[in-house]
Amino acid sequence: MADTLTITDNRTGKTYEIPVQDGAVRAIDLRKIKTDPDDFGLIAYDPAFTNTGSCRSAITFIDGDRGILEYRGYPIEQIAEHATHLETAYLLLFGELPTRAQLDEWTRVITQHTIPHENIKKFMDGYRYDAHPMGILLSTVGALSTFYPDARDIFDAQSRRIQTVRLIAKVPSIAAWAYRHLTGQPYVYPDGDLSYTGNLLNMLFKGTELKYQPHPVLERALDVLFVLHADHEQNCSTNAMRAIGSSHVDPFSAMAGAIAALYGPLHGGANEQVLRMLQEIGSVDHVPAFIKAVKAGEGKKLMGFGHRVYKSYDPRAKIIKKTADMVFAVTGRNPLLDIALELERIALEDEYFVSRKLYPNVDFYSGLIYQAMGFPVEMFPVLFAIPRTAGWIAQWEEMLLDSEQKIARPRQIYTGAARRDFVPIERR
Ligand code: ACO
């Protein structure tokens, strides 16, 4: 049997044979299907890219029907159990798990680059007292391009490597400073003795003590959450990173766009919305009424439920539930957990959610953990952006080095007015 697709165009009666490779046809092959020589040819119409592969990628594998997530072939459950976030970032970026010596060197280099330029502190001071930290993060990361003009040299491997280190090292510092700005506290400099997440907790929560000691359980829990958020193939923000990067702009500018995409309530802003939703519901007794309103389509969604790719339980949500137990053992149980559990219980039995294959996604429980750890809701998307930095850069670099990639530029079906003559203003 041939690996081809035979298409008959019923407009002309002509038949075309199109190659099928890796379960895909190339949309450009449709172009030869024309009604006459002047016809532009067929295009594939796919708003929101629900069935379009935009790239070949060797980084992350998802099987949404079976609830499988793998980074470079390793199951997420195994990575979350055994690896740190920096180890995971190394795996995503360089394709293999680091040896002990490679991990030590990677950790040393990242630690060395954690301090942002002093001028960054000055302009961060200029944001309004209540500025959303995600807004601060996205604009500050964009501004990094002005500090590192060498980042424009995107086809130089050495330059890409140094920008990668800068981003992974400095994003937590900027994120923590954005939080300190929101809370009106002085910025805390990185502590090189601490782990990646231990140092982040230090920069976020250090008070008057001379040396901040992160709680080991919270430090590890944050690390697990970071591992789970490190990459997720062609999601909205990664697609933004690749699309912006395809214009060959520097990675700081591209990543500012990716952070902006993540900020939205349908993406990384969802965990913030989950918490707001749980607070609005207020008590377990109000859950049935809330579910009823969601099903009636009264403008409400069950935030933290549903996923474009997962049509079964998000494997990350399962791990997060376990992490929540670990954290609550230290911080005390988050009172909103009961509402979340009841929502999940009802939704998993309800025909509306079952028939649409709506299951809890990664954001359903992460917000509860972050809240128990003392983060305000505004920090939730920021805590998503920090680990996703590794995934964004890995995907950006893969796109740059892929000889099939060009500037991302979709087509459209024009639905506007037909050609008409300009009407002078006095005759309109
Ligand atoms: N609550 C209620 N109904 C929902 C939900 C939800 N959370 N999600 C989807 N649906 C319904 C839709 O209304 C639609 O119903 P219909 O067929 O009767 O019209 C059906 O399920 C299919 O949903 P779509 O919107 O077509 O699915 P899509 O793949 O476009 O959206 C998305 C995926 C954006 C994640 C959606 O499920 C959603 O808005 N969820 C809530 C926000 C959220 O949790 N986002 C985080 C995603 S994970 C991440 O980004 C890290």
Side-chain angles (χ1 to χ4, degrees), residues 265-268 270 294 300-308 311 316 352-353 356 358 361-363 384:
L266 296 187
H267 191 14
V294 169
K300 286 186 200 306
K301 269 189 172 177
L302 182 48
M303 298 309 287
F305 259 68
H307 199 276
R308 173 61 61 76
K311 300 302 170 197
R316 301 169 298 174
Y352 176 96
F353 297 92
R356 288 170 177 78
L358 300 171
N361 60 49
V362 68
D363 285 328
F384 194 152

Side-chain angles (χ1 to χ4, degrees), residues 187-209:
Y187 305 148
V188 176
Y189 282 91
D191 179 342
D193 291 344
L194 298 174
S195 71
Y196 192 73
T197 43
N199 171 49
L200 175 63
L201 290 168
N202 158 64
M203 293 187 291
L204 288 161
F205 298 129
K206 185 172 184 291
T208 52
E209 67 272 44

Side-chain angles (χ1 to χ4, degrees), residues 30 50 78 85 91 115 138 145 155 173 176 181 233 252 259 273 275 305 308 321 336 344 353 419 424:
L30 301 176
T50 54
Q78 292 180 25
H85 174 63
L91 171 68
I115 304 180
L138 90 84
S145 72
F155 288 108
S173 312
H181 181 90
E233 53 119 305
F252 300 107
I259 299 173
Q273 297 305 323
L275 246 280
F305 259 68
R308 173 61 61 76
K321 250 178 127 172
L336 296 174
E344 181 183 336
F353 297 92
R419 186 190 163 97

Side-chain angles (χ1 to χ4, degrees), residues 220-222 224-225 228 318-328 369:
R220 176 64 193 145
L222 196 55
V224 172
L225 286 163
L228 299 182
K318 272 189 206 153
I319 304 169
I320 283 191
K321 250 178 127 172
K322 273 196 233 154
T323 312
D325 292 336
M326 240 165 85
V327 170
F328 296 157
I369 302 180

